[in-house]
Amino acid sequence: MAEAATNDLTESLIDKSSPVDDTLVTVHAPSDLSEGYTFDAVINDTTFTVTVPPGGVKEGQSIQVPFTAPSSNTASPLFVVPEGKWRDGLFDCFKHGFCEPMCCLSFWCGGIGQGQIMQRMKLNWYGMVVTENNGYENTFTIVAVLWLLYLIFYGFARVTFGVPVILFAIYFLTVGLLTRNYMRTRFNIEGNIFRDFLAHCFCPCCALIQELRHTHDFKEYPPLISSRTGLPLNAPEIDV
């Protein structure tokens, strides 16, 4: 029997020399999960969905689940994100320390982090799902420029540029709200748009950190704040 072991976040690994066919595999829960939640495991570059059994599971607990080998022409999977609940709580900002890169970026340059999460989620610069191919390529660049302009205008806000500052603030609140709402819908996370609004209106830094950490494996792909997605260049795209 092949054994698949998830790391502490999302992916599962298995000895690639092991045969893969219709069988049961042992998967280790990436975190404490309630009954009915789903997360993705990876075996021999093949992603499959695991549904948490009745009674729920604790982090690291082993569960046996069925796995069916795909056909040989199955495409290589993208990085998959756990579904059912946020990876971290809204106020777990300092879970990885006060100097963790994503934490610092969200507090001091939130607009940059917002552009990175939108780039990861393949949204355009006004927070909408892109239907055409590569329509999100310049999202980070545009959002980063708007953030820079916001900071420039903010420096002169008390003189003549009050209205632009307000418009920029409305823009970042709106795209933050749209991004969070899309993420909740896409990953089946409980909540509503009103709570999304409260999170980005009163705790924008915490909300952004939560979103950034939810969408990739913190230990497998450490943050790289200088990239368009906030991830190393070798990090796979997110399956959205």
Side-chain angles (χ1 to χ4, degrees), residues 7-11 30-31 33 37-41 49-50 79-88 183-184 186-189 213-217 238-239:
N7 57 30
D8 66 334
L9 295 173
T10 54
E11 290 192 88
S31 60
L33 297 172
Y37 283 124
T38 61
F39 62 93
D40 290 278
T49 300
V50 177
F79 185 89
V80 289
V81 179
E83 300 188 9
K85 72 173 185 178
W86 294 105
R87 192 191 302 281
D88 291 343
M183 288 183 63
R184 279 196 313 95
R186 169 62 184 83
F187 302 125
N188 301 312
I189 298 174
R213 289 178 178 170
H214 185 76
T215 48
H216 236 287
D217 185 329
I238 296 174
D239 183 12

Side-chain angles (χ1 to χ4, degrees), residues 115-117 119-120 136-138 140-141 226-230:
Q116 290 174 340
I117 188 63
Q119 186 80 38
R120 290 188 201 179
Y136 58 91
E137 271 192 342
N138 297 319
F140 170 76
T141 302
S226 60
S227 73
R228 294 191 306 162
T229 60

Side-chain angles (χ1 to χ4, degrees), residues 9 54 91 145 152 174:
L9 295 173
F91 302 112
V145 169
I152 292 173
T174 301

Side-chain angles (χ1 to χ4, degrees), residues 1-4 13-25 42-48 66-72:
M1 177 180 297
E3 179 171 319
L13 305 174
I14 190 171
D15 180 0
K16 295 185 181 297
S17 64
S18 301
V20 179
D21 52 14
D22 296 354
T23 185
L24 290 177
V25 294
V42 179
I43 294 181
N44 288 357
D45 295 327
T46 300
T47 301
F48 67 104
F67 171 79
T68 301
S71 60
S72 59

Side-chain angles (χ1 to χ4, degrees), residues 64-149:
Q64 287 193 326
V65 296
F67 171 79
T68 301
S71 60
S72 59
N73 60 354
T74 300
S76 298
L78 301 173
F79 185 89
V80 289
V81 179
E83 300 188 9
K85 72 173 185 178
W86 294 105
R87 192 191 302 281
D88 291 343
L90 182 61
F91 302 112
D92 286 340
C93 305
F94 304 120
K95 179 178 180 180
H96 300 292
F98 291 93
C99 297
E100 188 266 314
M102 287 293 100
C103 181
C104 294
L105 181 71
S106 298
F107 274 102
W108 299 110
C109 292
I112 301 300
Q114 184 63 49
Q116 290 174 340
I117 188 63
M118 292 169 70
Q119 186 80 38
R120 290 188 201 179
M121 296 302 298
K122 300 180 175 63
L123 302 176
N124 58 27
W125 66 274
Y126 45 93
M128 304 302 293
V129 179
V130 176
T131 54
E132 67 273 14
N133 292 333
N134 300 325
Y136 58 91
E137 271 192 342
N138 297 319
T139 294
F140 170 76
T141 302
I142 295 173
V143 176
V145 169
L146 291 174
W147 176 252
L148 179 61
L149 291 174

